[in-house]
Amino acid sequence: MTIFPRSIEEWYKPLTREEKIWIALAFIVALTLAGTTIAWHFIDRSHQVPSIAVEADPREFLSKAMEFSRTYSGKVVPEGTDIYLAAVRFTWIPSELILKAGVTYRIWVSSPDVLHGLSIIGPGDVVYNVMVMPGMAYVIHVKFDKPGEYEIRCNEFCGIGHANMIGRIRVVG
Ligand SMILES: [Cu+2]
């Protein structure tokens, strides 16, 4: 009997209850993913994605970061001050930032040498995660609600000292 192909009518069976449930579930998951993708932009505008990306002269940026580092070393960065953070093999300039809790800061980050990544890591959580391409400057907005210690880590392998490329953010009340 297998020699003769069956007709479509013979193959066709209406959807079972389980099949209908699976189709509905897949549809709900697809809608949820599409919805959250769009909604996230409005829920958390400054998270993860830099709000500005511009070309930056590596030497100019580096000198800005060094000047910033000299000015605010050991001091709380006042509200409204732009922060300049340079990712340089194998350190962050400045290597420590002291920020006030509850204040939104604008951080410019750039790399004068190779590809780096900026991760700001809090207790048990990655707070920010941005790729830093050489020759580009990016703006991210950061706000820490509670006092505490955060690490600034490079998340793109940039050479032999990559693992030691760690900076610090101290958030004070
Ligand atoms: Cu690195």
Side-chain angles (χ1 to χ4, degrees), residues 51-117:
S51 53
I52 296 174
V54 291
E55 277 183 44
D57 182 73
R59 276 189 200 172
E60 219 173 90
F61 193 92
L62 191 60
S63 66
K64 260 185 186 171
M66 285 163 106
E67 196 194 312
F68 181 90
S69 182
R70 272 194 299 272
T71 312
Y72 295 105
S73 165
K75 286 181 209 152
V76 179
V77 179
E79 189 170 354
T81 308
D82 275 9
I83 295 166
Y84 293 91
L85 180 63
V88 189
R89 293 205 292 177
F90 301 99
T91 189
W92 295 94
I93 301 170
S95 59
E96 189 190 59
L97 287 168
I98 307 174
L99 306 180
K100 252 188 254 170
V103 172
T104 302
Y105 289 96
R106 189 157 91 142
I107 299 183
W108 288 86
V109 59
S110 183
S111 156
D113 48 32
V114 299
L115 183 68
H116 294 283

Side-chain angles (χ1 to χ4, degrees), residues 116 154 156-158 162 165:
H116 294 283
C154 178
E156 291 286 347
F157 183 75
C158 53
H162 164 73
M165 197 169 155

Side-chain angles (χ1 to χ4, degrees), residues 30-50:
L31 274 184
T32 308
L33 290 175
T36 47
T37 301
I38 296 163
W40 193 250
H41 176 75
F42 299 101
I43 292 167
D44 199 349
R45 286 166 186 276
S46 58
H47 228 149
Q48 307 289 335
V49 182

